[in-house]
Amino acid sequence: MKKAIVTGANGFVGSHVCKELSDRGVKLYAVIKDTNENISTIENLDGIEIVYCELNEIETLSEKISDRDIDVFYHFAWVGSAGPLRCNEEIQLQNALWTAQALRTADKMNCKKFVNAGSIMEKETYTAVYTQESKPGLPYIYGAGKLIARSICKPIANSLNIDLCWAVITNAYGAGEFSPRFVNSTIRKIIAGEPLQFTAATQNYDFIYIDDVAKAFVAIGEYGIANKEYTIGSGNARPLKEFIIEMQQALAPEAEPIFGDIPFTGVNMPLEAFSTADIEKDCHFKPEISFAEGAKLTMDWIKSVD
Protein backbone atom coordinates (compact mmCIF):
# COMPACT_ATOMS: atom_id res chain seq x y z
CA MET A 1 0.00 0.00 0.00
CA LYS A 2 1.38 3.37 -1.06
CA LYS A 3 -1.58 5.76 -0.78
CA ALA A 4 -4.75 5.80 1.31
CA ILE A 5 -7.75 8.00 2.10
CA VAL A 6 -9.04 7.97 5.69
CA THR A 7 -12.38 9.58 6.62
CA GLY A 8 -13.01 10.35 10.27
CA ALA A 9 -9.23 10.64 10.45
CA ASN A 10 -9.17 12.55 13.74
CA GLY A 11 -11.42 10.10 15.58
CA PHE A 12 -10.26 7.50 18.09
CA VAL A 13 -9.80 4.64 15.60
CA GLY A 14 -9.15 6.79 12.53
CA SER A 15 -6.30 8.73 14.12
CA HIS A 16 -4.51 5.57 15.21
CA VAL A 17 -4.91 4.06 11.74
CA CYS A 18 -3.43 7.26 10.28
CA LYS A 19 -0.43 6.99 12.61
CA GLU A 20 0.13 3.33 11.70
CA LEU A 21 -0.09 4.08 7.98
CA SER A 22 2.24 7.07 8.33
CA ASP A 23 4.78 4.97 10.23
CA ARG A 24 4.76 2.57 7.27
CA GLY A 25 5.44 5.34 4.76
CA VAL A 26 1.95 5.49 3.24
CA LYS A 27 0.84 8.77 1.65
CA LEU A 28 -2.32 9.85 3.50
CA TYR A 29 -5.33 11.97 2.64
CA ALA A 30 -6.95 12.57 6.03
CA VAL A 31 -10.58 13.64 5.63
CA ILE A 32 -11.86 15.85 8.45
CA LYS A 33 -15.35 17.30 8.90
CA ASP A 34 -14.45 20.99 9.17
CA THR A 35 -11.79 23.45 10.32
CA ASN A 36 -13.22 23.50 13.87
CA GLU A 37 -12.17 19.90 14.44
CA ASN A 38 -9.18 19.04 16.64
CA ILE A 39 -6.45 17.53 14.45
CA SER A 40 -3.58 17.66 16.95
CA THR A 41 -3.18 13.88 16.95
CA ILE A 42 -2.54 13.66 13.21
CA GLU A 43 -1.49 17.04 11.79
CA ASN A 44 2.25 16.41 12.22
CA LEU A 45 2.33 12.90 10.80
CA ASP A 46 4.69 12.29 7.90
CA GLY A 47 3.07 12.11 4.46
CA ILE A 48 -0.31 13.45 5.57
CA GLU A 49 -2.53 15.90 3.72
CA ILE A 50 -5.58 17.25 5.57
CA VAL A 51 -8.75 17.50 3.47
CA TYR A 52 -11.92 19.13 4.84
CA CYS A 53 -15.20 17.58 3.75
CA GLU A 54 -18.53 17.17 5.56
CA LEU A 55 -20.18 13.76 5.36
CA ASN A 56 -23.19 15.25 3.60
CA GLU A 57 -20.80 16.51 0.92
CA ILE A 58 -18.74 13.32 0.61
CA GLU A 59 -19.46 13.14 -3.12
CA THR A 60 -17.34 16.29 -3.59
CA LEU A 61 -14.24 14.49 -2.33
CA SER A 62 -13.32 13.62 -5.90
CA GLU A 63 -12.99 17.36 -6.55
CA LYS A 64 -10.96 18.01 -3.41
CA ILE A 65 -8.47 15.17 -4.04
CA SER A 66 -7.05 15.04 -7.56
CA ASP A 67 -5.02 11.87 -7.01
CA ARG A 68 -6.42 8.85 -8.86
CA ASP A 69 -3.84 6.26 -7.82
CA ILE A 70 -5.09 5.42 -4.33
CA ASP A 71 -4.88 1.91 -2.97
CA VAL A 72 -7.34 1.94 -0.05
CA PHE A 73 -10.24 4.14 1.04
CA TYR A 74 -10.82 3.69 4.81
CA HIS A 75 -14.22 4.89 6.00
CA PHE A 76 -14.52 5.66 9.72
CA ALA A 77 -16.67 8.82 9.64
CA TRP A 78 -20.01 8.15 11.36
CA VAL A 79 -22.25 10.62 13.18
CA GLY A 80 -23.58 9.40 16.52
CA SER A 81 -21.33 6.42 17.18
CA ALA A 82 -21.70 7.23 20.88
CA GLY A 83 -24.12 9.18 23.05
CA PRO A 84 -27.83 9.89 22.49
CA LEU A 85 -27.51 10.03 18.68
CA ARG A 86 -27.01 6.25 18.71
CA CYS A 87 -30.77 6.13 19.27
CA ASN A 88 -31.69 8.58 16.50
CA GLU A 89 -33.10 6.68 13.54
CA GLU A 90 -32.82 9.60 11.10
CA ILE A 91 -29.10 10.10 11.81
CA GLN A 92 -28.31 6.38 11.68
CA LEU A 93 -30.18 5.88 8.42
CA GLN A 94 -28.40 8.91 6.99
CA ASN A 95 -25.05 7.42 8.06
CA ALA A 96 -25.85 4.33 6.00
CA LEU A 97 -26.59 6.47 2.93
CA TRP A 98 -23.43 8.52 3.46
CA THR A 99 -21.42 5.29 3.60
CA ALA A 100 -22.91 4.21 0.27
CA GLN A 101 -22.08 7.62 -1.19
CA ALA A 102 -18.52 7.33 0.12
CA LEU A 103 -18.22 3.94 -1.60
CA ARG A 104 -19.45 5.32 -4.91
CA THR A 105 -17.08 8.28 -4.57
CA ALA A 106 -14.15 5.95 -3.86
CA ASP A 107 -14.96 4.02 -7.02
CA LYS A 108 -15.26 7.27 -9.01
CA MET A 109 -11.75 8.15 -7.79
CA ASN A 110 -10.48 4.74 -8.98
CA CYS A 111 -9.61 3.59 -5.46
CA LYS A 112 -8.81 -0.11 -5.52
CA LYS A 113 -10.32 -1.11 -2.18
CA PHE A 114 -12.91 0.24 0.28
CA VAL A 115 -12.51 -0.83 3.92
CA ASN A 116 -15.42 0.12 6.15
CA ALA A 117 -15.48 0.17 9.94
CA GLY A 118 -18.38 -2.00 11.00
CA SER A 119 -19.33 -3.13 14.50
CA ILE A 120 -20.11 -6.28 16.43
CA MET A 121 -23.40 -4.46 17.16
CA GLU A 122 -24.47 -5.44 13.63
CA LYS A 123 -24.60 -9.10 14.65
CA GLU A 124 -26.24 -8.27 17.98
CA THR A 125 -28.84 -6.12 16.25
CA TYR A 126 -29.72 -8.79 13.71
CA THR A 127 -30.20 -11.34 16.48
CA ALA A 128 -32.11 -8.95 18.73
CA VAL A 129 -34.48 -7.77 16.01
CA TYR A 130 -35.22 -11.12 14.41
CA THR A 131 -35.63 -13.17 17.59
CA GLN A 132 -39.29 -13.81 18.34
CA GLU A 133 -40.70 -11.67 21.18
CA SER A 134 -37.35 -10.00 21.80
CA LYS A 135 -37.37 -6.43 23.13
CA PRO A 136 -34.34 -4.62 21.72
CA GLY A 137 -33.64 -1.20 23.23
CA LEU A 138 -33.11 2.06 21.36
CA PRO A 139 -29.27 1.79 21.21
CA TYR A 140 -29.75 -1.04 18.71
CA ILE A 141 -30.69 1.67 16.19
CA TYR A 142 -26.95 2.38 15.87
CA GLY A 143 -26.31 -1.28 15.07
CA ALA A 144 -29.17 -1.19 12.58
CA GLY A 145 -27.51 1.74 10.81
CA LYS A 146 -24.28 -0.25 10.43
CA LEU A 147 -26.22 -3.33 9.31
CA ILE A 148 -28.16 -1.33 6.71
CA ALA A 149 -24.94 0.26 5.49
CA ARG A 150 -23.46 -3.17 4.83
CA SER A 151 -26.64 -4.43 3.17
CA ILE A 152 -26.57 -1.45 0.80
CA CYS A 153 -22.84 -1.31 0.15
CA LYS A 154 -22.15 -4.93 -0.66
CA PRO A 155 -24.37 -5.07 -3.76
CA ILE A 156 -23.24 -1.58 -4.80
CA ALA A 157 -19.57 -2.62 -4.62
CA ASN A 158 -20.25 -5.64 -6.79
CA SER A 159 -21.80 -3.39 -9.42
CA LEU A 160 -18.68 -1.20 -9.45
CA ASN A 161 -14.96 -1.70 -9.98
CA ILE A 162 -13.88 -1.65 -6.33
CA ASP A 163 -13.25 -4.32 -3.68
CA LEU A 164 -15.26 -4.01 -0.45
CA CYS A 165 -13.99 -5.39 2.88
CA TRP A 166 -16.11 -5.02 6.01
CA ALA A 167 -14.19 -4.80 9.28
CA VAL A 168 -16.24 -5.73 12.34
CA ILE A 169 -14.73 -4.15 15.45
CA THR A 170 -15.56 -5.97 18.68
CA ASN A 171 -14.61 -3.43 21.36
CA ALA A 172 -11.67 -1.10 20.80
CA TYR A 173 -10.18 0.59 23.86
CA GLY A 174 -6.99 2.33 24.88
CA ALA A 175 -5.01 5.54 25.07
CA GLY A 176 -6.69 8.42 23.29
CA GLU A 177 -10.31 7.48 23.99
CA PHE A 178 -12.31 9.90 26.12
CA SER A 179 -15.67 8.14 25.97
CA PRO A 180 -17.39 6.70 29.08
CA ARG A 181 -17.42 3.20 27.62
CA PHE A 182 -16.85 0.14 29.80
CA VAL A 183 -13.05 -0.07 30.05
CA ASN A 184 -12.63 3.66 30.60
CA SER A 185 -15.38 3.92 33.19
CA THR A 186 -14.08 0.88 35.12
CA ILE A 187 -10.51 2.19 35.16
CA ARG A 188 -11.71 5.58 36.38
CA LYS A 189 -13.53 3.80 39.22
CA ILE A 190 -10.30 2.01 40.13
CA ILE A 191 -8.31 5.27 40.10
CA ALA A 192 -10.96 6.96 42.28
CA GLY A 193 -11.08 4.02 44.68
CA GLU A 194 -14.79 3.48 44.03
CA PRO A 195 -16.49 0.12 44.59
CA LEU A 196 -16.27 -2.19 41.56
CA GLN A 197 -19.88 -3.23 41.21
CA PHE A 198 -21.15 -5.05 38.14
CA THR A 199 -24.06 -7.10 36.92
CA ALA A 200 -23.63 -10.86 36.64
CA ALA A 201 -21.48 -10.13 33.51
CA THR A 202 -22.18 -13.53 32.00
CA GLN A 203 -22.50 -12.34 28.37
CA ASN A 204 -19.72 -13.13 25.91
CA TYR A 205 -17.48 -10.20 25.05
CA ASP A 206 -14.18 -9.29 23.46
CA PHE A 207 -11.78 -6.34 23.65
CA ILE A 208 -8.79 -5.30 21.55
CA TYR A 209 -6.28 -2.55 22.28
CA ILE A 210 -6.30 0.39 19.88
CA ASP A 211 -2.74 -0.11 18.58
CA ASP A 212 -3.69 -3.63 17.51
CA VAL A 213 -6.90 -2.31 15.96
CA ALA A 214 -4.84 0.06 13.80
CA LYS A 215 -2.54 -2.77 12.70
CA ALA A 216 -5.58 -4.89 11.86
CA PHE A 217 -7.01 -2.23 9.56
CA VAL A 218 -3.68 -1.88 7.78
CA ALA A 219 -3.56 -5.67 7.33
CA ILE A 220 -7.08 -5.69 5.86
CA GLY A 221 -6.10 -2.87 3.52
CA GLU A 222 -3.10 -4.88 2.35
CA TYR A 223 -4.51 -8.39 2.18
CA GLY A 224 -8.31 -8.32 2.64
CA ILE A 225 -10.35 -10.25 0.08
CA ALA A 226 -13.34 -8.62 -1.62
CA ASN A 227 -16.79 -9.37 -0.16
CA LYS A 228 -15.37 -10.72 3.10
CA GLU A 229 -16.05 -9.70 6.68
CA TYR A 230 -13.09 -9.49 9.06
CA THR A 231 -13.65 -9.47 12.79
CA ILE A 232 -11.13 -7.34 14.67
CA GLY A 233 -10.80 -8.82 18.13
CA SER A 234 -8.39 -10.48 20.51
CA GLY A 235 -9.10 -13.99 19.31
CA ASN A 236 -9.93 -14.89 22.91
CA ALA A 237 -13.57 -13.91 23.44
CA ARG A 238 -15.08 -15.03 26.74
CA PRO A 239 -17.65 -14.00 29.37
CA LEU A 240 -17.31 -10.35 30.39
CA LYS A 241 -16.75 -11.42 33.99
CA GLU A 242 -13.38 -12.93 33.05
CA PHE A 243 -12.22 -9.66 31.47
CA ILE A 244 -13.30 -7.75 34.58
CA ILE A 245 -11.36 -10.05 36.87
CA GLU A 246 -8.27 -9.83 34.63
CA MET A 247 -8.46 -6.03 34.69
CA GLN A 248 -8.95 -5.92 38.46
CA GLN A 249 -6.03 -8.25 39.13
CA ALA A 250 -3.76 -6.24 36.83
CA LEU A 251 -4.74 -2.77 38.07
CA ALA A 252 -6.10 -3.19 41.58
CA PRO A 253 -5.24 -6.60 43.05
CA GLU A 254 -6.40 -5.45 46.48
CA ALA A 255 -9.90 -4.60 45.22
CA GLU A 256 -12.80 -7.04 45.22
CA PRO A 257 -15.14 -6.93 42.20
CA ILE A 258 -18.76 -7.41 43.18
CA PHE A 259 -20.98 -9.24 40.71
CA GLY A 260 -24.71 -8.87 41.17
CA ASP A 261 -27.44 -11.34 40.43
CA ILE A 262 -29.03 -9.08 37.81
CA PRO A 263 -29.22 -11.19 34.66
CA PHE A 264 -28.06 -9.84 31.33
CA THR A 265 -31.16 -8.96 29.28
CA GLY A 266 -29.51 -8.07 25.98
CA VAL A 267 -28.28 -10.41 23.27
CA ASN A 268 -25.61 -12.88 24.35
CA MET A 269 -23.69 -13.68 21.18
CA PRO A 270 -22.14 -17.15 20.82
CA LEU A 271 -18.35 -17.29 20.99
CA GLU A 272 -18.11 -18.18 17.30
CA ALA A 273 -19.57 -14.75 16.45
CA PHE A 274 -16.27 -13.26 17.67
CA SER A 275 -14.08 -15.57 15.56
CA THR A 276 -10.94 -13.95 14.13
CA ALA A 277 -10.03 -16.95 11.97
CA ASP A 278 -10.46 -15.10 8.65
CA ILE A 279 -8.32 -12.08 9.51
CA GLU A 280 -5.62 -14.41 10.83
CA LYS A 281 -5.71 -16.60 7.70
CA ASP A 282 -6.18 -13.99 4.96
CA CYS A 283 -4.45 -10.95 6.47
CA HIS A 284 -1.78 -12.60 8.62
CA PHE A 285 -2.87 -10.59 11.64
CA LYS A 286 -2.74 -11.46 15.32
CA PRO A 287 -2.93 -8.92 18.15
CA GLU A 288 0.17 -8.38 20.25
CA ILE A 289 -1.15 -6.63 23.37
CA SER A 290 -2.91 -8.66 26.06
CA PHE A 291 -5.96 -7.29 27.83
CA ALA A 292 -4.07 -6.88 31.11
CA GLU A 293 -1.25 -5.01 29.36
CA GLY A 294 -3.70 -2.85 27.42
CA ALA A 295 -5.59 -2.00 30.60
CA LYS A 296 -2.34 -0.85 32.24
CA LEU A 297 -1.45 1.30 29.22
CA THR A 298 -4.94 2.81 29.27
CA MET A 299 -4.77 3.57 32.98
CA ASP A 300 -1.37 5.25 32.60
CA TRP A 301 -2.77 7.42 29.82
CA ILE A 302 -5.90 8.37 31.79
CA LYS A 303 -3.73 9.42 34.74
CA SER A 304 -1.55 11.51 32.42
CA VAL A 305 -4.46 13.51 30.97
CA ASP A 306 -6.70 13.91 34.04
Side-chain angles (χ1 to χ4, degrees):
M1 190 191 322
K2 295 180 179 179
K3 298 178 185 178
I5 293 174
V6 181
T7 69
N10 61 330
F12 177 49
V13 177
S15 62
H16 282 81
V17 171
C18 283
K19 184 179 184 306
E20 185 67 27
L21 289 169
S22 175
D23 288 348
R24 298 185 186 210
V26 177
K27 165 66 179 174
L28 281 172
Y29 295 96
V31 182
I32 310 297
K33 184 172 68 172
D34 57 50
T35 55
N36 296 319
E37 293 285 296
N38 183 355
I39 60 171
S40 60
T41 55
I42 61 170
E43 61 182 336
N44 295 319
L45 294 177
D46 290 338
I48 195 165
E49 183 176 324
I50 306 296
V51 181
Y52 293 100
C53 186
E54 296 272 5
L55 259 179
N56 60 5
E57 299 176 345
I58 196 68
E59 292 168 321
T60 68
L61 202 58
S62 60
E63 302 165 15
K64 299 174 185 289
I65 300 174
S66 60
D67 200 334
R68 292 295 180 269
D69 186 28
I70 296 165
D71 298 295
V72 184
F73 189 117
Y74 288 100
H75 189 56
F76 296 104
W78 190 276
V79 179
S81 58
L85 288 180
R86 285 172 70 98
C87 306
N88 185 307
E89 65 272 21
E90 292 184 7
I91 289 294
Q92 298 305 332
L93 286 170
Q94 190 60 64
N95 277 315
L97 292 175
W98 285 330
T99 303
Q101 289 167 2
L103 173 61
R104 290 190 182 276
T105 301
D107 177 71
K108 182 179 179 181
M109 298 172 69
N110 298 324
C111 296
K112 300 174 183 69
K113 183 180 291 185
F114 189 93
V115 178
N116 191 78
S119 169
I120 194 70
M121 278 287 288
E122 296 172 47
K123 297 182 180 183
E124 294 178 21
T125 298
Y126 184 89
T127 302
V129 169
Y130 285 96
T131 298
Q132 294 283 55
E133 298 186 32
S134 65
K135 297 179 179 180
L138 287 174
Y140 281 108
I141 292 174
Y142 162 75
K146 290 286 189 180
L147 188 58
I148 291 167
R150 192 201 304 212
S151 301
I152 294 172
C153 286
K154 197 167 184 180
I156 289 175
N158 285 297
S159 74
L160 302 173
N161 190 34
I162 189 169
D163 291 345
L164 172 67
C165 294
W166 206 267
V168 174
I169 305 173
T170 53
N171 285 281
Y173 73 99
E177 184 186 24
F178 289 93
S179 83
R181 296 200 307 159
F182 184 78
V183 172
N184 272 10
S185 60
T186 302
I187 290 176
R188 290 182 187 280
K189 286 180 181 179
I190 289 172
I191 293 172
E194 297 176 9
L196 300 181
Q197 296 178 313
F198 307 95
T199 64
T202 55
Q203 68 270 36
N204 291 326
Y205 235 74
D206 198 8
F207 295 95
I208 179 167
Y209 191 72
I210 189 60
D211 290 0
D212 281 330
V213 173
K215 289 181 173 65
F217 271 103
V218 173
I220 294 169
E222 291 276 18
Y223 305 109
I225 296 171
N227 291 311
K228 290 198 72 170
E229 164 195 306
Y230 292 105
T231 299
I232 298 178
S234 72
N236 185 29
R238 48 211 156 110
L240 178 59
K241 184 175 183 178
E242 295 184 20
F243 284 104
I244 293 172
I245 293 172
E246 184 176 348
M247 190 180 349
Q248 169 263 318
Q249 291 178 345
L251 305 184
E254 73 290 347
E256 184 68 34
I258 301 168
F259 296 97
D261 56 3
I262 303 172
F264 175 65
T265 57
V267 176
N268 188 10
M269 301 300 295
L271 289 175
E272 55 265 28
F274 299 89
S275 173
T276 57
D278 283 329
I279 195 171
E280 292 176 16
K281 175 172 63 72
D282 295 349
C283 307
H284 322 292
F285 170 79
K286 281 193 175 184
E288 300 172 359
I289 300 172
S290 70
F291 185 63
E293 181 184 355
K296 289 177 182 177
L297 291 169
T298 305
M299 184 154 112
D300 290 344
W301 176 78
I302 289 174
K303 287 180 176 179
S304 74
V305 297
D306 280 357

